[in-house]
C-alpha cells in the first residue's frame, strides 16, 4: 500500500512538474516573440510580424480600426531619423487554455525627439494559438491608457463666464458653480465634482480623464452651450441662465 501511494504521489509530482515546465517555457516563448514584435514596430521592421502572425489574424488598433495581417503589416513604417523609438513590455499576465494563451500586458512606447520625450502606455491583449508545435498570434487588441492632461490655470473672467445652468430638459442638466476660485460641476440630482482646466474652455473631472466638458461660444462671443464629449462625441446642453 505504501509503495502504491508513493508511485501515485510521484506520478502526480512528475505530471505537475511537466505542466509547470511547459507553461514556463510557453511564457518565455510568448514574451520573446512579443518583444520581437514591439521591437519591429519601433524600428519599422516587419520580419517578426510576417513570421508570428497567423494568416487569419485580426488586429484592433488604438484608433478602433480592425485590420488583417496584410493590412497591418503594410502600415508598419520606419520612423523619421530624428525620432528615437523604444517599446518595453511591462506587467505581463498570462491565461492558459488548450493550445491557446491569452497574454495581457502594457507596452510602454517611448518617443524621443529634439530633447523631448513622450511616453505612451498601450494596454494590449494578445491571443496566441499553437499549431504544429509553433505559436502564432491570432488576435490582438490595443488601447491607449488614458492619462491626465497638464493642469492649466483658469482665470477669473472665464470662471465667471461659464458658471450657470446647462440643460437638455428639466430632468437632464448640469449646474456649474465656483467656490474659492475653483470650478465645480453638478449633474441634476448628482454630486458636485471639481472641474480641472485643460485649456481656457475645455475641462475634465478630477480623477477621470475620459470625458471632456467643452464650453461653446456663439458669434457674439457669448457662452451658449456645454458639450460633454467622450472620444469627440457626446451630448449638448444649452445654457439657460
Amino acid at each position: 500500500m505504501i509503495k502504491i501511494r508513493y508511485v501515485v504521489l510521484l506520478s502526480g509530482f512528475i505530471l505537475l512538474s511537466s505542466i509547470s515546465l511547459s507553461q514556463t517555457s510557453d511564457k518565455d516563448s510568448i514574451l520573446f516573440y512579443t518583444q520581437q514584435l514591439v521591437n519591429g514596430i519601433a524600428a519599422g521592421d516587419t520580419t517578426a510580424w510576417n513570421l508570428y502572425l497567423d494568416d487569419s489574424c485580426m488586429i484592433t488598433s488604438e484608433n478602433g480600426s480592425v485590420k488583417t495581417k496584410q493590412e497591418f503589416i503594410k502600415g508598419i513604417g520606419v520612423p523619421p531619423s530624428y525620432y528615437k523609438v523604444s517599446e518595453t513590455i511591462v506587467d505581463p499576465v498570462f491565461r492558459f487554455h488548450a493550445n491557446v494563451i491569452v497574454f495581457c500586458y502594457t507596452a510602454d512606447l517611448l518617443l524621443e525627439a529634439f530633447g523631448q520625450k513622450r511616453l505612451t502606455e498601450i494596454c494590449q491583449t494578445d491571443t496566441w494559438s499553437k499549431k504544429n508545435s509553433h505559436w502564432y498570434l491570432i488576435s490582438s487588441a490595443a488601447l491607449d491608457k488614458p492619462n491626465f492632461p497638464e493642469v492649466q490655470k483658469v482665470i477669473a473672467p472665464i470662471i465667471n463666464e461659464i458658471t450657470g445652468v446647462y440643460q437638455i430638459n428639466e430632468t437632464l442638466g448640469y449646474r456649474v458653480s465656483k467656490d474659492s476660485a475653483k470650478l465645480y460641476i453638478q449633474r441634476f440630482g448628482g454630486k458636485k465634482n471639481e472641474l480641472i482646466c485643460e485649456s481656457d474652455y475645455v475641462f475634465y473631472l478630477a480623477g477621470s480623464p475620459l470625458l471632456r466638458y467643452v464650453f461653446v461660444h456663439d458669434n457674439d462671443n457669448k457662452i451658449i452651450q456645454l458639450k460633454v464629449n467622450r472620444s469627440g462625441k457626446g451630448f449638448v446642453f444649452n445654457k439657460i441662465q
Side-chain angles (χ1 to χ4, degrees), residues 48-166:
W49 291 91
N50 279 302
L51 183 61
Y52 299 131
L53 261 65
D54 188 81
D55 289 339
S56 64
C57 184
M58 293 189 300
I59 299 178
T60 304
S61 300
E62 302 96 305
N63 62 7
S65 65
V66 180
K67 297 180 179 180
T68 64
K69 173 182 179 178
Q70 293 74 21
E71 290 170 337
F72 185 83
I73 290 176
K74 186 178 179 180
I76 298 176
V78 178
S81 58
Y82 51 82
Y83 280 139
K84 180 182 178 182
V85 185
S86 62
E87 196 164 351
T88 307
I89 298 171
V90 297
D91 300 327
V93 177
F94 293 87
R95 292 294 182 267
F96 294 89
H97 306 274
N99 292 322
V100 171
I101 291 178
V102 179
F103 178 36
C104 299
Y105 61 96
T106 299
D108 282 353
L109 178 62
L110 181 63
L111 181 65
E112 300 181 58
F114 305 112
Q116 297 189 40
K117 296 181 180 181
R118 186 191 72 194
L119 176 65
T120 301
E121 297 174 288
I122 302 172
C123 303
Q124 190 141 337
T125 299
D126 294 343
T127 303
W128 293 79
S129 177
K130 181 176 280 189
K131 300 179 181 179
N132 300 321
S133 300
H134 295 284
W135 286 104
Y136 294 95
L137 184 64
I138 61 173
S139 176
S140 180
L143 173 68
D144 275 3
K145 182 179 180 180
N147 289 295
F148 293 99
E150 292 186 14
V151 177
Q152 305 297 320
K153 183 178 180 180
V154 56
I155 60 176
I158 292 179
I159 292 178
N160 294 330
E161 187 180 5
I162 65 179
T163 53
V165 178
Y166 303 79

Side-chain angles (χ1 to χ4, degrees), residues 189-208:
K191 66 177 183 178
K192 187 163 63 174
N193 295 284
E194 184 181 356
L195 283 174
I196 308 299
C197 182
E198 181 176 356
S199 62
D200 283 350
Y201 296 97
V202 180
F203 295 77
Y204 60 95
L205 291 184
S208 176

Side-chain angles (χ1 to χ4, degrees), residues 103 168 235:
F103 178 36
I168 294 178
F235 293 99

